[in-house]
Amino acid sequence: MARYFFNLHDGISIPDTIGSEHPDLQSARVEAVETIAERLRGALLKKTDVSAWLMNVTDEQGVTVIVLSFTAAVQIVDHVYLAAKATGTA
């Protein structure tokens, strides 16, 4: 099994100094996606800006083998305001 390191950049760099072993690159990809999904959920619930988040996965030699970049945002739409704006009463 190969060891992969899941390095997160969310405004600051958080290097993975321990890593985890995986039988193949697909398995490492699954861990990367699951890890990001979990962190994103928590961050979005706290209204954290995640626009600059990036994860790069490296192998034991330090070579980047996977890059996850993403943008996520939550916006509440005020339908009453939008309707008033459309009719010119806002």
Side-chain angles (χ1 to χ4, degrees):
M1 284 218 233
R3 183 167 296 275
Y4 294 93
F5 300 87
F6 301 82
N7 307 293
L8 183 64
H9 309 278
D10 65 356
I12 61 168
S13 291
I14 305 170
D16 177 3
T17 58
I18 299 170
S20 58
E21 292 188 352
H22 293 273
D24 54 31
L25 191 56
Q26 180 60 30
S27 175
R29 179 188 180 279
V30 169
E31 181 175 333
V33 170
E34 288 175 350
T35 299
I36 285 301
E38 184 179 310
R39 291 184 68 105
L40 272 174
R41 180 180 184 277
L44 290 173
L45 289 173
K46 295 177 185 173
K47 300 179 182 179
T48 302
D49 177 13
V50 298
S51 61
W53 281 25
L54 175 80
M55 175 182 274
N56 74 307
V57 181
T58 57
D59 64 13
E60 293 172 294
Q61 289 75 39
V63 175
T64 297
V65 294
I66 300 172
V67 175
L68 284 84
S69 60
F70 40 87
T71 300
V74 175
Q75 182 177 10
I76 297 173
V77 178
D78 183 342
H79 292 286
V80 174
Y81 173 77
L82 291 177
K85 187 173 179 183
T87 61
T89 59

